[in-house]
Amino acid sequence: MSRREPTRKEIELKNHIDSLLNRTFRLLKAKVPKNEYPNFVIKNDLIRSHYDTLDNTLYLREDDANSIDVIGEEIVGHFPRLKLRTYAMQREPAGLNAYLTRIFGKKPEPTSKEKPEKHVDEFFGYLGRRIIRKIAKPEDNLKKHSGAKPEIKDKEFKRRYIAEHKRPYAFAQQVDLDKLDLPKLYILPNQEVRHRFFRQDPQYNLNKPIQPGKITKRTETGLEKIIKIIGIVG
């Protein structure tokens, strides 16, 4: 099935988002070809806006097209993380290959597999919400979303959504953005991201070994209570 021609609004949106992506990748000290930037489709029959990795398309509800949180999560969080981590994996040796590289200087074969971790994905999504507020410009015409959220009646979807977002959002909220080495963070393996930042004492120095975590009892934050109200993009 062929893709329909983009609407004028979708073309205008893509121009704005491409400019925002340029700034994002400059911040991350990375180069990504513009022909790999995502496409945009505006659809109002969506349960929620989301980035589809299979066809490299951001599907947006019209009410979300200028939402700083939605655009931040998907375009500054999810998309750059997916793209830069994929690039990094293509350069990384693995297993015996890694051993031979260290010992003999053998040229590594690309690694293409990594266990998906939904919590890590959503950690970057919420980081994107925070980072976009540092790089957005008035001409981006982004604003805090205040429109009506679509009612979600599927209880299983709600349960799964909360399980996937509550914990990573809380940890992404607590990190100090000024202490993060964002270019290195965006290419770290999923497991290392989780071990360094899903804790009460984040390990900011990515050049040092991960220290044993402090075990602390934490109470539910205001953010965790808020995300129970479904309708936030994920």
Side-chain angles (χ1 to χ4, degrees):
M1 183 177 177
S2 61
R3 180 187 295 275
R4 66 168 171 77
E5 289 297 313
T7 66
R8 180 178 177 179
K9 185 167 186 176
E10 289 167 347
I11 293 173
E12 291 175 351
L13 177 63
K14 180 168 175 57
N15 289 336
H16 281 297
I17 298 304
D18 283 0
S19 174
L20 184 60
L21 274 173
N22 291 339
R23 277 171 267 151
T24 300
F25 287 124
R26 281 199 296 270
L27 177 68
L28 300 176
K29 300 178 181 178
K31 293 183 179 180
V32 173
K34 288 189 178 181
N35 63 2
E36 296 184 15
Y37 283 12
N39 298 305
F40 296 88
V41 173
I42 295 176
K43 296 179 67 176
N44 282 327
D45 59 348
L46 298 170
I47 294 179
R48 62 186 180 90
S49 298
H50 65 280
Y51 170 65
D52 191 320
T53 61
L54 296 179
D55 61 1
N56 192 31
T57 298
L58 177 59
Y59 291 94
L60 281 172
R61 298 175 61 250
E62 189 165 5
D63 286 346
D64 292 335
N66 297 106
S67 167
I68 194 168
D69 287 328
V70 174
I71 301 300
E73 177 144 357
E74 303 299 339
I75 295 302
V76 181
H78 290 314
F79 175 75
R81 164 60 178 179
L82 173 68
K83 186 61 65 175
L84 299 183
R85 180 61 194 142
T86 298
Y87 286 175
M89 286 192 295
Q90 291 171 349
R91 298 191 296 265
E92 291 174 353
L96 176 61
N97 207 22
Y99 176 78
L100 294 175
T101 299
R102 291 195 300 271
I103 302 301
F104 302 109
K106 177 181 177 291
K107 184 178 180 180
E109 298 295 328
T111 299
S112 60
K113 298 292 184 181
E114 182 174 51
K115 181 181 178 182
E117 294 203 26
K118 183 64 175 175
H119 278 190
V120 174
D121 292 344
E122 298 308 332
F123 174 83
F124 280 96
Y126 195 82
L127 278 185
R129 290 173 175 241
R130 297 182 62 194
I131 294 169
I132 195 173
R133 286 167 165 80
K134 291 180 172 289
I135 63 175
K137 297 180 177 181
E139 56 264 34
D140 294 324
N141 194 30
L142 295 172
K143 56 188 178 181
K144 188 173 182 180
H145 183 81
S146 59
K149 301 290 186 181
E151 183 180 0
I152 300 176
K153 298 179 181 180
D154 187 329
K155 292 183 179 180
E156 176 57 25
F157 179 89
K158 289 182 179 181
R159 184 202 64 76
R160 188 172 67 252
Y161 183 94
I162 292 171
E164 291 175 349
H165 291 73
K166 178 178 178 179
R167 188 166 178 260
Y169 273 24
F171 286 120
Q173 184 191 36
Q174 78 173 9
V175 296
D176 186 338
L177 286 182
D178 293 332
K179 292 182 179 179
L180 289 174
D181 185 339
L182 291 174
K184 288 185 178 180
L185 175 61
Y186 266 70
I187 65 173
L188 280 187
N190 288 336
Q191 186 178 43
E192 185 170 354
V193 173
R194 179 164 45 81
H195 287 170
R196 285 187 179 276
F197 297 103
F198 282 42
R199 53 195 291 164
Q200 297 308 303
D201 56 335
Q203 306 287 290
Y204 293 105
N205 190 334
L206 304 183
N207 296 317
K208 289 185 177 181
I210 301 171
Q211 299 300 310
K214 297 177 181 179
I215 301 175
T216 59
K217 184 176 181 181
R218 55 187 298 278
T219 57
E220 188 176 68
T221 67
L223 170 68
E224 291 172 304
K225 295 175 182 177
I226 290 172
I227 67 172
K228 288 181 180 179
I229 303 174
I230 303 305
I232 304 175
V233 69

